[in-house]
Amino acid sequence: DIVMTQAPLSVSVTPGESASISCRSSKSLLHSNGITYVYWYLQKPGKSPQLLIYRMSNLASGVPDRFSGSGSETDFTLKISRVEAEDVGIYYCGQLLENPWTFGGGTKLELK
Amino acid sequence: QVTLKESGPGILQPSQTLSLTCTFSGFSLSTYGMGVGWIRQPSGKGLEWLANIWWDDDKYYNPSLKNRLTISKDTSNNQAFLKITNVDTADTATYYCARIKRGLDYWGQGVMVTVSS
């Protein structure tokens, strides 16, 4: 199975500042078709996960452009610019390249 | 507008079979490239992918549970189903279904399932 490792476990951010979350995969997520199959999700308290970024760097529908995704074949970053109160929750990266699809353990974002 | 909603028994006993239903709207499982996945999350823990079913009836299962899982669909009624046999307390979790198009792009609200004697 592909292991997804996130860091840090938690991050505390002042509103208006930026935050970065890292995710590393145990295997390249770059397919031969040129697509990198890494995704980012936010699970707000008491809610279902919601898609933020698909295929490493594409913003999902309705997601503010304060969110951005980048990376290489095995190392990925989610950046949140100008953090707002509504961004609080647990962020997960996930790989959809190979079965079984797997997720990182999550990074909890809190406000200072 | 895409929506999904899970339904299930709420509570069941060890060794029973868990039957879950995902009722969706705003898309069709007969559309090329479309799929529905099931994911679960024990309370306070992370996400575990369970199974996918695709528009062409292709099915994929998590090998760690493969022998216990059966996924199916009713395209006419916009529903997908998941059965888990021989449940035990480790299967206690919130179960989500999600549309698969650009990844798992729309999720249901989840249904809590407790396995207890």
Side-chain angles (χ1 to χ4, degrees):
Chain A
D1 298 2
I2 297 176
V3 178
M4 305 294 285
T5 304
Q6 288 184 233
L9 287 178
S10 65
V11 60
S12 184
V13 186
T14 301
E17 301 282 300
S18 64
S20 289
I21 299 170
S22 295
C23 175
R24 177 169 291 177
S25 59
S26 60
K27 178 180 175 178
S28 172
L29 299 184
L30 175 62
H31 192 277
S32 57
N33 62 10
I35 296 172
T36 303
Y37 286 89
V38 66
Y39 298 73
W40 289 96
Y41 296 87
L42 165 60
Q43 188 171 30
K44 296 181 179 181
K47 300 294 186 182
S48 309
Q50 62 182 90
L51 179 67
L52 298 174
I53 301 289
Y54 65 97
R55 298 176 187 172
M56 191 171 72
S57 59
N58 296 278
L59 201 63
S61 176
V63 176
D65 60 7
R66 301 183 289 102
F67 291 87
S68 62
S70 62
S72 61
E73 295 186 22
T74 59
D75 288 274
F76 312 101
T77 301
L78 175 72
K79 183 174 180 181
I80 313 165
S81 305
R82 305 181 305 281
V83 168
E84 299 183 3
E86 67 177 19
D87 302 333
V88 164
I90 301 176
Y91 290 79
Y92 295 96
C93 61
Q95 68 81 19
L96 276 59
L97 177 68
E98 284 185 3
N99 291 339
W101 291 358
T102 50
F103 299 90
T107 296
K108 187 174 186 178
L109 186 144
E110 300 173 316
L111 298 182
K112 283 184 181 174
Chain B
Q1 179 189 5
V2 173
T3 65
L4 303 97
K5 186 172 183 179
E6 307 87 348
S7 58
I11 186 165
L12 66 166
Q13 295 184 336
S15 81
Q16 290 186 320
T17 295
L18 170 61
S19 294
L20 298 166
T21 299
C22 175
T23 302
F24 54 86
S25 63
F27 68 98
S28 173
L29 250 184
S30 61
T31 300
Y32 178 89
M34 204 70 73
V36 167
W38 286 93
I39 307 94
R40 71 181 179 181
Q41 184 176 38
S43 180
K45 298 192 176 180
L47 302 167
E48 179 181 30
W49 170 76
L50 300 176
N52 293 340
I53 190 164
W54 296 92
W55 83 101
D56 59 359
D57 211 37
D58 235 357
K59 299 163 187 172
Y60 295 90
Y61 297 101
N62 191 320
S64 67
L65 295 95
K66 179 174 182 178
N67 292 336
R68 300 172 52 213
L69 300 178
T70 304
I71 193 169
S72 60
K73 62 182 171 70
D74 179 349
T75 304
S76 306
N77 289 306
N78 286 342
Q79 292 181 315
F81 310 97
L82 184 71
K83 290 187 188 296
I84 306 178
T85 60
N86 194 26
V87 297
D88 69 8
T89 55
D91 296 308
T92 294
T94 296
Y95 287 76
Y96 298 100
C97 64
R99 187 184 81 161
I100 309 170
K101 185 179 180 184
R102 291 175 174 170
L104 297 155
D105 58 358
Y106 287 90
W107 295 57
Q109 65 188 27
V111 60
M112 288 187 61
V113 174
T114 301
V115 179
S116 174
S117 56

